[in-house]
Amino acid sequence: MGNILLFSVIVGLAAALILIPFSKTKPTKEKKPFKSGIFISIILLLVIGIFLFYYLTNLDRSLTSIWILAVAVTGVGAFIASGKERMVKAVLFLGSLAAAIFFLTAFLFNADDKYETAKMTVKTEIETFDEKETPASVPPEFARNKMKKAFGQVPNTSYYELGNLQIQKVNNDYVYIAPVEFSGFFKWFKGKETPGYFTVSATDSNANPKFMQTEMVYTPSSYFNKEIERHIRMQYPQHIFYGEVQLEIDDEGKPYYIRTYGDFITARNGFDIKGIVVVDPQNGDTSSYSLKDVPAFIDGAVSPEAVSLHNSYFGKYIQGFWNSVFGKSEVKLPSDEGTEANVSPIFDENGAMYYFTDFTSPKEGVDSMLGYSLTNSRTGEATYYTGNLEESYMDSQGALQIIEKKFIEKKWKGQMPIIYNFYGEASWLTPVLDANGFLQNYFIVSAANPEISVDGNTPNEALKKYKTALQRGGGSVNGSSNAEEKQAGGKVVRVYKEKSGEITTVSFLLSDGKNFVVSTENNPLSIYLEEDDEVDVNYLDTGEMFLPVKELVIKGLE
């Protein structure tokens, strides 16, 4: 609090000295004493006004933040002054006006710096997905609905409401976390502290939310100095923050609020990520970390808002500002279909969190994807994937439109479309929700061949169907996790045939205990497979229960 008071007094006093004229407009025979009471009153009004502005807005208290005030004060001061005093204040006005013009036009000439700040490593395609992993998380809207249904676990329920949802890895489990927040000023005045947060699995749609009881005093829904953003600003008055505060919990379940800070790129324009501030919401203790020193339990050190901003820099300013407005050569627009500030958080096979975004053309009516990016949520390092340049990929909006048309009678919709490399095929995987926000199934569609699509009750069920659909549609399963091609042979002990249209999927078990699946689309003679047949099999060792067959030879039918 002392910093903001000192800042307000210094700025208020300086503004009063510039604003109040000290020279007289007309000479007088009798020199009248200066009315110090007016001077003091103006100082008090300015100090109070500045204090309230910075206290309520939580704006950084650096000298560049007062540029609007400087223009107004010097302009009025120069107008009401006279003589040499007017000349001095006019010079100050011109200087503050020049600074204002610089601040207001910085976006015209710092586009190259913004692009360099957000520049990404460029690759062709992400690695193929490991079939032994769960390829998608529960959509956040569904998780939020489940938490609301479980809100009765909160003591004094009428005081509170559910806060913002965030995904995180805790003790090797992927979970959604949402704090319990005050539902208004009077509830905060009576309650003083919130009772805890909810957590629910981000991979198991059948899991129930758990309420974790732990008191939090400094929160986004608190007031005055207990409001978390104001508390952070009081501790770091000159930090430049971008994005909302986020709740993170450590492996012991202790909550912390974090916020991303950085630097302006030019003047007060643009944002370059530098680190985070961490707050203990129980006692208000704060710590500042650079990105390289972020505590290990924190997954979302880089705010999704900052990632979304950098995505726009990378897509728009590849050839400068004016090209982004007129020619738009090589310009690409990041999608707005993400679940958090237009990006979607996902985890790789090592448990590292990334923000996913696909990019499309600025031309209206075009739903082809130009590429997609993955940004590490701890380091801010990003990679842009162009995809197979010989094929045209459908963007996330196109995938959502296919889902909407497929389930038009049920009024189901897709949420959180993510592109994966399934069996060497770029594919959109999207959870499907009903009109009430409850999860119904998962939908997979080929990005290059939209006519190839399936849906299933679970991601792995949909993936199994998708493998067969790719074989029917002339796709390939050769890229499946770079799986090794192997040979097997023996007697068939069980056979199961499932017909879908004109295609039959044949699953069979050999005497050695291995299960295989083959489609009559690629192996027409597999329709004749029966128990006790002797076979030779070329297959891909994907590690799945049913291994995909590349070539099947039924002895006696050669």
Side-chain angles (χ1 to χ4, degrees):
M1 185 67 75
N3 181 280
I4 189 173
L5 284 172
L6 180 61
F7 179 83
S8 301
V9 169
I10 293 174
V11 174
L13 180 59
L17 290 173
I18 296 173
L19 188 62
I20 298 174
F22 291 97
S23 59
K24 299 184 181 298
T25 57
K26 294 181 179 179
T28 60
K29 295 181 179 179
E30 182 179 352
K31 187 175 181 181
K32 296 181 180 180
F34 179 73
K35 295 181 179 180
S36 59
I38 297 176
F39 180 56
I40 294 174
S41 298
I42 292 176
I43 292 177
L44 287 175
L45 288 174
L46 286 169
V47 169
I48 292 172
I50 292 167
F51 175 86
L52 290 175
F53 174 80
Y54 280 92
Y55 186 81
L56 295 174
T57 63
N58 293 322
L59 187 67
D60 63 282
R61 296 194 285 275
S62 59
L63 290 179
T64 58
S65 69
I66 64 172
W67 67 271
I68 296 178
L69 178 65
V71 172
V73 168
T74 56
V76 173
F79 178 77
I80 63 178
S82 62
K84 293 183 179 180
E85 182 182 348
R86 171 175 286 184
M87 293 180 60
V88 172
K89 291 182 178 180
V91 170
L92 293 176
F93 171 69
L94 292 175
S96 61
L97 187 63
I101 293 172
F102 175 66
F103 290 155
L104 292 172
T105 60
F107 70 95
L108 296 175
F109 53 81
N110 68 357
D112 290 339
D113 292 332
K114 288 178 178 176
Y115 178 78
E116 289 300 320
T117 300
K119 197 170 183 180
M120 305 181 186
T121 303
V122 179
K123 293 184 179 180
T124 302
E125 201 77 80
I126 54 175
E127 295 181 1
T128 49
F129 187 82
D130 190 337
E131 298 86 346
K132 296 186 290 296
E133 301 290 337
T134 301
S137 59
V138 173
E141 183 178 340
F142 176 63
R144 187 173 183 83
N145 284 339
K146 296 193 75 170
M147 289 180 180
K148 287 182 177 179
K149 296 291 184 184
F151 211 73
Q153 301 178 36
V154 180
N156 297 321
T157 306
S158 62
Y159 278 46
Y160 309 106
E161 60 188 15
L162 196 64
N164 292 331
L165 202 70
Q166 182 180 341
I167 195 171
Q168 190 184 346
K169 182 182 178 183
V170 182
N171 291 318
N172 295 319
D173 293 325
Y174 303 114
V175 296
Y176 282 110
I177 303 164
V180 173
E181 299 285 0
F182 292 109
S183 58
F185 173 78
F186 291 104
K187 302 299 174 63
W188 167 80
F189 187 77
K190 291 181 179 179
K192 299 301 182 184
E193 57 188 27
T194 58
Y197 60 89
F198 276 96
T199 178
V200 68
S201 173
T203 57
D204 182 4
S205 60
N206 295 316
N208 292 319
K210 296 179 181 179
F211 175 66
M212 311 301 291
Q213 192 158 358
T214 175
E215 289 75 18
M216 292 186 281
V217 177
Y218 297 86
T219 73
S221 59
S222 298
Y223 287 83
F224 302 122
N225 288 358
K226 297 300 188 293
E227 196 267 324
I228 189 69
E229 290 188 17
R230 181 168 295 116
H231 177 72
I232 294 174
R233 173 57 68 203
M234 292 297 182
Q235 307 303 313
Y236 301 95
Q238 294 189 333
H239 271 39
I240 308 303
F241 295 104
Y242 197 88
E244 302 295 326
V245 293
Q246 301 179 86
L247 185 69
E248 297 258 353
I249 61 175
D250 63 17
D251 288 342
E252 284 71 46
K254 181 174 175 56
Y256 295 88
Y257 275 107
I258 68 169
R259 198 175 189 197
T260 303
Y261 75 84
D263 294 330
F264 292 121
I265 291 177
T266 306
R268 294 184 62 84
N269 185 265
F271 183 75
D272 186 14
I273 306 162
K274 295 300 181 182
I276 65 168
V277 168
V278 179
V279 182
D280 185 333
Q282 294 177 337
N283 55 31
D285 289 345
T286 60
S287 301
S288 179
Y289 300 92
S290 64
L291 285 182
K292 63 182 180 63
D293 297 323
V294 169
F297 74 88
I298 293 176
D299 290 311
V302 180
S303 69
E305 293 88 351
V307 173
S308 185
L309 182 68
H310 278 209
N311 284 339
S312 69
Y313 292 165
F314 178 78
K316 290 171 59 178
Y317 299 136
I318 186 170
Q319 291 190 25
F321 172 79
W322 295 112
N323 177 71
S324 71
V325 177
F326 298 108
K328 297 187 178 181
S329 174
E330 298 186 72
V331 168
K332 41 193 174 287
L333 301 179
S335 165
D336 59 359
E337 299 299 339
T339 58
E340 294 185 18
N342 297 333
V343 298
S344 293
I346 61 173
F347 290 85
D348 69 4
E349 66 277 6
N350 299 316
M353 192 169 91
Y354 290 81
Y355 292 113
F356 167 83
T357 311
D358 65 302
F359 291 76
T360 189
S361 170
K363 186 176 180 180
E364 292 185 7
V366 177
D367 63 356
S368 62
M369 184 178 67
L370 300 180
Y372 53 96
S373 67
L374 291 175
T375 303
N376 189 295
S377 63
R378 281 178 55 86
T379 66
E381 296 177 355
T383 302
Y384 180 75
Y385 298 90
T386 62
N388 188 339
L389 297 178
E390 297 180 357
E391 296 180 335
S392 178
Y393 286 174
M394 173 179 59
D395 64 10
S396 59
Q397 185 61 44
L400 293 176
Q401 289 173 355
I402 289 178
I403 294 173
E404 184 178 353
K405 291 177 182 177
K406 180 177 177 63
F407 301 108
I408 189 169
E409 294 183 358
K410 297 180 178 180
K411 297 183 179 180
W412 291 358
K413 62 179 181 180
Q415 186 187 74
M416 197 176 70
I418 304 292
I419 199 165
Y420 289 89
N421 188 350
F422 290 145
Y423 311 113
E425 186 89 1
S427 313
W428 287 103
L429 173 60
T430 309
V432 180
L433 286 73
D434 63 20
N436 295 317
F438 288 99
L439 183 64
Q440 295 299 325
N441 64 21
Y442 289 86
F443 188 85
I444 304 179
V445 58
S446 169
N449 303 289
E451 66 276 7
I452 303 176
S453 65
V454 300
D455 60 272
N457 292 328
T458 67
N460 287 331
E461 179 184 334
L463 191 58
K464 182 179 178 180
K465 291 182 179 179
Y466 189 60
K467 183 192 305 180
T468 303
L470 283 176
Q471 292 176 331
R472 291 201 308 267
S476 170
V477 297
N478 292 346
S480 175
S481 300
N482 298 318
E484 182 182 357
E485 185 175 335
K486 293 184 177 180
Q487 290 78 39
K491 180 184 287 188
V492 176
V493 296
R494 291 288 188 274
V495 178
Y496 176 76
K497 298 176 183 178
E498 182 179 11
K499 189 172 181 61
S500 177
E502 298 180 356
I503 307 301
T504 299
T505 301
V506 181
S507 303
F508 60 96
L509 171 67
L510 291 186
S511 55
D512 62 0
K514 290 182 178 179
N515 296 283
F516 299 90
V517 61
V518 61
S519 170
T520 56
E521 177 79 6
N522 294 333
N523 291 271
L525 294 182
S526 63
I527 192 67
Y528 298 121
L529 188 66
E530 296 179 349
E531 294 180 7
D532 297 326
D533 281 342
E534 292 285 339
V535 297
D536 289 325
V537 181
N538 285 353
Y539 68 96
L540 295 172
D541 188 12
T542 62
E544 298 173 283
M545 179 175 289
F546 287 86
L547 301 167
V549 173
K550 291 194 64 178
E551 184 178 356
L552 173 68
V553 176
I554 305 174
K555 294 182 180 180
L557 291 181
E558 297 92 333

